[in-house]
Amino acid sequence: MARNIIILGILIALCSPGCKAPAYLPDAEEIGIHEFGSFVIIDLTEGSDIEGELIAVDDTALIVLSKEDENRIQSVPIARIKGFKLMYAQPKNYGWTIPVSALATLSHGFLLVFTAPVNIIVTSGVTARGANAFTYNDGDITMEEIKMFARFPQGLPPDIEVANLK
């Protein structure tokens, strides 16, 4: 009985959301027609990470609408960037499959001892892939390709006031 409670506790912990995508990111069906840019986490060579919406990219810098202060636009020189992680859509949530799959193994009788861990491992892998399905990092795409995921992929239009972006 105690073992089942421990397994159930582990399943609940695996299902709890650890990282939630920003609300402005589109659903998978809206990719390509959504007006906002992607969410980016920039790892700097020195200093703290910068998180926020990718507004534009030019030859020397990334322009980011900061997550902490929504009215603060930051220009991050490319030379200062060590790496980045980019999320361009809301990830699919497959967390519910972990406990459902584990509960389904109750019907396996004494084989539950073998099949429950296998089901937990497999469904945890599916859940992790679903959470990372709409994510790139600096190993996946180049600085030139990151432009495609900005709010203004061709760069900031001349008539746009950066201070007025929200």
Side-chain angles (χ1 to χ4, degrees), residues 3 105-119:
R3 189 158 140 184
T105 60
L106 291 174
S107 66
H108 298 172
F110 71 91
L111 292 176
L112 167 97
V113 175
F114 303 107
T115 58
V118 171
N119 280 333

Side-chain angles (χ1 to χ4, degrees), residues 10-143:
I10 291 170
L11 290 174
I12 291 171
L14 287 172
C15 291
S16 66
C19 181
K20 188 172 183 219
Y24 64 77
L25 286 177
D27 291 331
E29 296 79 27
E30 296 177 318
I31 295 174
I33 58 169
H34 200 265
E35 67 270 14
F36 294 118
S38 301
F39 177 74
V40 66
I41 301 171
I42 301 171
D43 184 21
L44 300 174
T45 54
E46 46 188 57
S48 60
D49 294 353
I50 295 173
E51 298 181 6
E53 180 187 351
L54 182 61
I55 300 296
V57 180
D58 61 26
D59 295 335
T60 60
L62 285 130
I63 300 169
V64 178
L65 182 60
S66 179
K67 179 182 176 186
E68 287 80 32
D69 181 9
E70 292 185 20
N71 295 325
R72 184 168 177 227
I73 298 287
Q74 293 182 292
S75 180
V76 184
I78 291 176
R80 289 188 54 213
I81 298 174
K82 183 168 42 172
F84 63 86
K85 183 177 177 183
L86 180 115
M87 186 182 303
Y88 63 93
Q90 293 285 345
K92 299 284 185 186
N93 183 5
Y94 297 110
W96 61 270
T97 61
I98 298 170
V100 170
S101 176
L103 288 174
T105 60
L106 291 174
S107 66
H108 298 172
F110 71 91
L111 292 176
L112 167 97
V113 175
F114 303 107
T115 58
V118 171
N119 280 333
I120 291 170
I121 290 168
V122 170
T123 54
S124 296
V126 169
T127 302
R129 279 200 198 124
N132 293 324
F134 300 105
T135 304
Y136 288 124
N137 63 35
D138 52 313
D140 300 325
I141 61 175
T142 65
M143 280 294 177

